[in-house]
Amino acid sequence: MTERKVILYLSESLDGFIAERDGSTNFLSKLSSSAADAAYQDFYQSIDTVLMGRKTYQRTLQKAGTYPYQDKESYVFSTTLHDTDDPTTVVAGNIPSFVRKLKAKEGQDIWLVGGADIFTDLLKENLIDTLIITIAPVLLGDGIGLVASNLTDVPLRLTNATQHDQFVTLTYAVQK
């Protein structure tokens, strides 16, 4: 059995922001690309589990109106959220330990939807396998960055670069 991969898949502005200062991703709503949408759908079919932090979960619900990943096993990491109205499981314990157990279970790959703090913590614990970053053709000037805190060097290896209309998707393997 091959261990499942944890993949951070997201879009960011050309100047490196994954969200605007208020946490919204409205800048992405103003852009469109059928090729980028098709690439997302291909990725979405390759995973069976989604992970996210509380803020990402709440913003996703607010933006979509209903939980958009109901067909996937879903986990929200939070110490303040205790229950949800959708098929999401809230996890309040040790996140790296939980993810290690999840990776060892049989299944498809795991998508880390968002949460800069969670991403950083999992990266420090060598639990992130792949980064798929789609660069949107916009400069924000300010916003929320990909990494929550300073990291020591994290070596990455570019495994793919694909242009989708005006977007570019870069895929990196995390060197362990």
Side-chain angles (χ1 to χ4, degrees), residues 68-109:
Y69 313 119
Q70 293 194 27
D71 59 330
K72 307 293 181 184
E73 191 173 339
S74 299
Y75 299 95
V76 174
F77 299 112
S78 176
T79 56
T80 58
L81 186 67
H82 300 291
D83 199 12
T84 66
D85 293 330
D86 50 63
T88 303
T89 301
V90 178
V91 178
N94 182 303
I95 295 171
S97 175
F98 180 84
V99 171
R100 276 187 197 89
K101 291 175 188 166
L102 198 57
K103 284 181 68 145
K105 287 174 53 178
E106 194 162 322
Q108 292 177 279
D109 288 335

Side-chain angles (χ1 to χ4, degrees), residues 18 20 34-35 47 58 61 64 66 68 76 78 91 95 97 116 130 137 140 142 158 160 168 175-176:
I18 62 171
E20 295 170 52
S34 58
I47 56 107
Q58 290 175 327
L61 278 181
T66 60
V76 174
S78 176
V91 178
I95 295 171
S97 175
T130 305
L140 295 180
D142 190 22
L158 181 67
N160 192 31
V168 175
Q175 302 296 295
K176 305 209 178 183

Side-chain angles (χ1 to χ4, degrees), residues 18-83:
I18 62 171
E20 295 170 52
R21 179 58 47 207
D22 66 359
S24 73
T25 55
N26 293 334
F27 71 98
L28 292 172
S29 303
K30 300 172 188 170
L31 305 167
S32 66
S33 164
S34 58
D37 292 344
Y40 166 78
Q41 288 303 322
D42 288 344
F43 167 77
Y44 191 74
Q45 296 307 314
S46 75
I47 56 107
D48 65 0
T49 304
V50 295
L51 309 174
M52 67 189 80
R54 177 193 52 82
K55 289 184 248 178
T56 300
Y57 170 77
Q58 290 175 327
R59 283 189 198 106
T60 299
L61 278 181
Q62 182 180 29
K63 185 175 179 178
T66 60
Y67 188 68
Y69 313 119
Q70 293 194 27
D71 59 330
K72 307 293 181 184
E73 191 173 339
S74 299
Y75 299 95
V76 174
F77 299 112
S78 176
T79 56
T80 58
L81 186 67
H82 300 291
D83 199 12

Side-chain angles (χ1 to χ4, degrees), residues 12-14 27-28 31 134-139 165-168:
E12 69 178 21
S13 65
L14 181 60
F27 71 98
L28 292 172
L31 305 167
T134 299
I135 308 299
V138 63
L139 297 169
D165 300 322
Q166 293 299 306
F167 294 79
V168 175

